[in-house]
Amino acid sequence: MTSAMSPSAASPSPRQPVHSHLVDGFGTVTVTPVDPAADAGLIHGWVTQERARFWGMGEAGLELVREIYEDVDRRTTHHAFIVALEGAPVALFQTYECEADRVSECYDVQPGDVGLHLLIAPGEGAPRTGFSAALMTAFLSFVFSDPAARRLVAEPDARNAKAIARLERTGFVLGPEVVLPEVDLPEVYLPAKPARLAFLSAPASSPAGSR
């Protein structure tokens, strides 16, 4: 187990964006894989705020946050990304193959199902109208640029009314409330969680939707 570093001690991430999307009237959104060593401080600052309580990491220390994202980084089925607007980090975005995740125990997984976790960072200054919607536009562009992705599956905490409403505004169709089972493994622990499933199929004009 390595010793924790302060955010200022971490080196800038050498990783490059894997997706860039210009949202008219908003700016360029980039999606870059999380670098656990470089990004742990940033992520820790986001996930430990009260506004991120449904993320489930409010009591996590910096070292634990880095270890969690090192574990994600080693996987081929789960992925984490820092989302930036005009170069400034604004969100943490995670995707995963549903059949390789605990959500698979709660519904009938279909080929091409891609799971989604999204944490929008605290903003500075006055709220920007359409901010969340613009970010969602960029996220959908990224996920559905993969021809294998046919449907997005979200599973926000069932008590997180704000996130559920955001998904509905984006076009997700709400599914049932479920209980995601506890995961207790040497490398990761996740408590059971009440969740509301939500689904969004690839648009007909996307590579996946046109198949």
Side-chain angles (χ1 to χ4, degrees):
M1 183 177 295
T2 57
S3 60
M5 296 186 297
S6 67
S8 60
S11 301
S13 173
R15 299 187 177 184
Q16 298 299 310
V18 293
H19 186 77
S20 179
H21 186 84
L22 176 62
V23 181
D24 290 341
F26 185 70
T28 298
V29 177
T30 55
V31 180
T32 303
V34 164
D35 182 325
D39 297 328
L42 176 68
I43 296 172
H44 178 263
W46 291 349
V47 301
T48 54
Q49 294 194 18
E50 168 60 23
R51 65 187 300 277
R53 62 191 180 280
F54 293 117
W55 197 258
M57 296 175 64
E59 302 300 319
L62 175 60
E63 184 173 355
L64 177 59
V65 169
R66 186 173 67 251
E67 289 176 349
I68 288 171
Y69 285 93
E70 285 173 346
D71 179 68
V72 173
D73 199 45
R74 287 190 291 267
R75 297 173 182 264
T76 60
T77 56
H78 292 63
H79 309 280
F81 307 91
I82 295 294
V83 180
L85 170 62
E86 298 296 338
V90 293
L92 175 62
F93 181 55
Q94 297 179 205
T95 61
Y96 58 90
E97 296 176 13
C98 291
E99 65 268 25
D101 192 84
R102 62 178 177 169
V103 74
S104 65
E105 299 185 34
C106 301
Y107 85 106
D108 185 15
V109 177
Q110 299 180 13
D113 278 359
V114 178
L116 162 72
H117 295 303
L118 170 63
L119 177 64
I120 297 178
E124 297 182 359
R128 185 174 177 181
T129 302
F131 183 82
S132 297
L135 287 184
M136 290 299 294
T137 297
F139 300 152
L140 298 183
S141 169
F142 169 57
V143 174
F144 289 132
S145 66
D146 180 358
R150 300 193 178 194
R151 187 171 65 162
L152 266 175
V153 180
E155 30 97 335
D157 192 294
R159 299 160 293 185
N160 192 346
K162 185 175 180 179
I164 293 170
R166 181 187 302 126
L167 291 171
E168 284 191 285
R169 290 194 301 271
T170 305
F172 280 76
V173 176
L174 296 184
E177 287 193 15
V178 299
V179 176
L180 300 179
E182 178 186 50
V183 174
D184 190 2
L185 300 172
E187 66 275 13
V188 62
Y189 173 76
L190 297 171
K193 185 186 86 168
R196 183 68 183 270
L197 298 183
F199 305 92
L200 180 68
S201 296
S205 58
S206 74
S210 62
R211 292 170 65 130

